[in-house]
Amino acid sequence: MAEARTMFIVIRKDLAKVLQWPLGSVIAQGCHASVAVMQKYRDDERVKAYVDDINSMHKVVLETKNEASLLKMAENLKQNNIPYYLWTEQPENIPTCLATVPVVRSDLGDALKKCTLM
């Protein structure tokens, strides 16, 4: 059986712990990023395969320390040729989270190795 595709969502830990954002607002950031990455890459074969099996969608929500570490994770993904969407909350213009296209974990390599489960 083929390895399941997984969307990885990385959210800044400091949004809740330091900036005191409500839990619902933090969750909404991950929702924004996950919808945005699916729309932006809707023609990507990985996205098509993911939505074709709608009852078996896998997601992993990770956290990273702050804005600088989030931007580092984005750069790691870029270097590994993994498409992602970096969500920037408006009108504040604050990068809050990112979501990858659905990938098999082995393709991810160690691009997000410094993140922990949220």
Side-chain angles (χ1 to χ4, degrees), residues 7-13 15-16 21-39 50 58-64 70 84-89 94-101 118:
M7 178 186 290
F8 292 87
I9 301 166
V10 182
I11 301 176
R12 289 174 45 184
K13 182 174 21 178
L15 295 177
W21 284 27
L23 179 60
S25 296
V26 175
I27 291 169
Q29 301 308 301
C31 295
H32 294 323
S34 65
V35 170
V37 77
M38 296 296 283
Q39 175 62 23
Y50 188 71
H58 297 275
K59 291 176 185 61
V60 173
V61 180
L62 302 169
E63 65 182 10
T64 192
L70 179 67
Y84 65 92
Y85 192 93
L86 177 66
W87 183 260
T88 302
E89 184 67 3
I94 299 172
T96 58
C97 66
L98 63 80
T100 68
V101 296
M118 184 169 221

Side-chain angles (χ1 to χ4, degrees), residues 6-105:
T6 302
M7 178 186 290
F8 292 87
I9 301 166
V10 182
I11 301 176
R12 289 174 45 184
K13 182 174 21 178
D14 68 330
L15 295 177
K17 305 235 188 238
V18 176
L19 301 175
Q20 299 294 303
W21 284 27
L23 179 60
S25 296
V26 175
I27 291 169
Q29 301 308 301
C31 295
H32 294 323
S34 65
V35 170
V37 77
M38 296 296 283
Q39 175 62 23
K40 181 175 182 180
Y41 296 102
R42 64 187 170 275
D43 295 326
D44 186 295
E45 291 304 317
R46 293 166 288 197
V47 171
K48 289 178 181 180
Y50 188 71
V51 297
D52 280 348
D53 193 7
I54 202 163
N55 292 317
S56 295
M57 293 180 170
H58 297 275
K59 291 176 185 61
V60 173
V61 180
L62 302 169
E63 65 182 10
T64 192
K65 186 176 178 181
N66 53 31
E67 181 177 341
S69 62
L70 179 67
L71 297 176
K72 176 65 176 159
M73 295 306 107
E75 182 59 32
N76 291 349
L77 291 167
K78 185 176 182 180
Q79 289 176 1
N80 283 282
N81 297 312
I82 298 171
Y84 65 92
Y85 192 93
L86 177 66
W87 183 260
T88 302
E89 184 67 3
Q90 297 298 334
E92 299 87 352
N93 203 36
I94 299 172
T96 58
C97 66
L98 63 80
T100 68
V101 296
V103 295
V104 293
R105 287 178 189 250

